[in-house]
Amino acid sequence: MNATPVLEVENLLVKRGGVRVLNISSLLIREREVLTLIGPNGTGKSTFLLTLTCLLKPSQGSIIFKGQRVDTDQAIFTYRRRLAMVFQEPLLFNATVFDNVASGLKIRGIGKGEIQHQVMECLERFGISHLSRRSARKLSRGEAQRTSLARAFATRPEIVFLDEPFTSLDPPGRESLMEDLVGILRETQTTAILATHDLQEALRLSDRLAVMNEGKIVQIGAPTEVMNHPVDLFVASFIGMETLMTGSVIEVREGEGAFTVSISGHNVQVAGVARPGEKVICGVRPEHITLSTNSLRGELDTGNVFTGKILKIISLGLFCKVYLDCGFMVVAFVTYKSGENLPLQEGEDVTVSFKSTAVHLIWQEN
């Protein structure tokens, strides 16, 4: 993404009660991108959003908007008028939907005719134009959140901040609103920063993910990069890479660009470069692991083939999560159809396989 930087952070530090709760050394956000802050609850995502919007004063550090430091009262005032923020709770006024969406425009002194145009445009985008005269007190939770989002976009902000905007919605309402928001962000080309603990929301909306832990950004990158190449055990666990196997490099095949890792007495083949004796953690995503009957074992050509005993099967709606003991723990996803064809039963042995290229390494100190 080569767009112009719109927001930068330098050495941002926030303390509460003398305790450091946020420590961001640097961050650059470009125009028109959607950046999502993900991580467990309590890891500093909301604090970061409040600081970026100047609703919370940092202990030190700088926020730079389009090349200008936001470091005076006037600069903060000007900056805030070019932003919008949406919270988990809609926080609507006791007024009609139209008046709620128009409120930011009225504060800015926009003319009545332009207010009418911009409000109705946003109401239509979010599918609530038929609710324009309804009292906010009579809205469903989904309608209220759509109104809150329409109010934010009505001012045509240069950056919109979204703090867990879908958490309180039921699954159908969440899916519908998320789909609409994806289209609106694309249509308006609005820069957005979203905070969520829901990985699926993040993957659906984001150009980049920033994984946070204990007030810090521990990894940032494109969704595919973060999902397939976590930098440490915390990130690996958070993004669902549950098969994590600790071992040592015992053989290097430089001409092949591959090496072998010994894990609990089993040899795992890995594509890449390493040195003999290095301690590593081999991670494999559950969707990259294949289960099959032992009768097909000799026909598999995936680089890594093991016999695994099924310890547990957990239903997850459209697929199952299968826990296996191969001498090391493995977690795999299997569709119901595949599970029926095998079939899968706890206590049974199956063949577990995954490609050497599917193994991601997390390096350990010797």
Side-chain angles (χ1 to χ4, degrees):
M1 182 177 292
N2 296 317
T4 304
V6 63
L7 192 63
E8 299 175 66
V9 166
E10 294 179 350
N11 301 315
L12 203 63
L13 182 68
V14 175
K15 292 183 178 181
R16 287 181 174 171
V19 178
R20 184 178 63 189
V21 295
L22 191 70
N23 184 12
I24 309 296
S25 59
S26 64
L27 178 66
L28 186 148
I29 299 158
R30 298 188 181 278
E31 287 185 337
R32 300 187 296 279
E33 84 163 315
V34 179
L35 173 71
T36 298
L37 309 174
I38 61 171
N41 290 331
T43 199
K45 303 184 299 295
S46 294
T47 298
F48 194 17
L49 287 190
L50 291 172
T51 306
L52 288 175
T53 54
C54 293
L55 295 174
L56 182 64
K57 186 176 180 179
S59 305
Q60 69 176 51
S62 300
I63 296 171
I64 303 166
F65 178 67
K66 292 193 168 181
Q68 300 295 316
R69 292 186 182 274
V70 184
D71 55 5
T72 65
D73 290 343
Q74 182 58 45
I76 290 172
F77 176 78
T78 302
Y79 170 60
R80 282 181 178 170
R81 290 174 71 89
R82 299 164 78 176
L83 314 177
M85 186 160 183
V86 178
F87 296 91
Q88 181 176 333
E89 295 298 326
L91 303 177
L92 300 178
F93 302 118
N94 182 19
T96 66
V97 168
F98 183 96
D99 287 339
N100 267 280
V101 176
S103 58
L105 298 171
K106 291 178 180 178
I107 291 172
R108 287 164 171 77
I110 306 299
K112 187 174 181 179
E114 185 60 24
I115 288 177
Q116 177 74 23
H117 171 72
Q118 289 184 217
V119 170
M120 293 310 300
E121 179 182 64
C122 278
L123 292 178
E124 289 172 7
R125 275 180 174 153
F126 283 96
I128 52 173
S129 57
H130 62 292
L131 302 175
S132 64
R133 297 304 170 190
R134 183 176 297 182
S135 168
R137 288 187 172 183
K138 297 181 180 180
L139 299 176
S140 68
R141 188 169 287 273
E143 291 168 345
Q145 194 63 298
R146 285 177 176 272
T147 301
S148 179
L149 282 161
R151 178 173 61 186
F153 278 85
T155 61
R156 296 175 181 171
E158 294 183 55
I159 309 176
V160 62
F161 295 85
L162 306 160
D163 191 6
E164 303 275 7
F166 311 110
T167 299
S168 61
L169 305 182
D170 58 33
R174 177 183 296 192
E175 175 64 24
S176 175
L177 183 52
M178 198 180 310
E179 183 66 23
D180 287 346
L181 183 58
V182 169
I184 290 165
L185 286 171
R186 187 181 301 116
E187 178 186 352
T188 61
Q189 296 191 327
T190 304
T191 304
I193 304 174
L194 166 72
T196 181
H197 64 275
D198 189 305
L199 186 58
Q200 295 308 311
E201 287 181 11
L203 294 173
R204 181 77 169 273
L205 290 163
S206 309
D207 297 307
R208 285 193 299 160
L209 302 181
V211 185
M212 293 190 66
N213 186 32
E214 297 182 344
K216 297 181 179 180
I217 294 176
V218 293
Q219 184 172 1
I220 186 167
T224 53
E225 175 68 20
V226 174
M227 291 294 289
N228 291 297
H229 303 286
V231 296
D232 58 22
L233 285 176
F234 169 80
V235 178
S237 297
F238 185 79
I239 56 89
M241 187 175 280
E242 295 184 68
T243 298
L244 296 165
M245 309 166 287
T246 302
S248 299
V249 178
I250 59 171
E251 180 189 5
V252 175
R253 300 182 298 284
E254 294 183 359
E256 301 176 24
F259 55 94
T260 302
V261 178
S262 177
I263 298 172
S264 301
H266 299 272
N267 290 344
V268 174
Q269 309 305 318
V270 183
V273 178
R275 294 191 300 271
E278 286 187 301
K279 304 293 185 182
V280 296
I281 295 175
C282 297
V284 186
R285 291 199 56 80
E287 63 270 25
H288 295 161
I289 295 172
T290 301
L291 305 185
S292 55
T293 61
N294 285 321
S295 62
L296 296 175
R297 184 182 180 96
E299 301 176 21
L300 297 172
D301 183 23
T302 60
N304 293 292
V305 183
F306 306 95
T307 295
K309 182 179 292 294
I310 299 175
L311 301 178
K312 183 168 56 175
I313 302 173
I314 297 178
S315 172
L316 295 175
L318 299 177
F319 58 93
C320 297
K321 181 185 284 190
V322 184
Y323 294 80
L324 306 110
D325 181 2
C326 299
F328 48 86
M329 293 300 299
V330 170
V331 181
F333 285 160
V334 178
T335 64
Y336 270 109
K337 185 64 175 178
S338 297
E340 291 173 354
N341 290 339
L342 283 173
L344 298 178
Q345 294 183 2
E346 293 181 3
E348 296 293 325
D349 288 342
V350 294
T351 296
V352 179
S353 60
F354 50 89
K355 295 181 179 180
S356 61
T357 54
V359 181
H360 169 67
L361 290 184
I362 299 174
W363 301 97
Q364 295 287 92
E365 294 182 4
N366 289 309

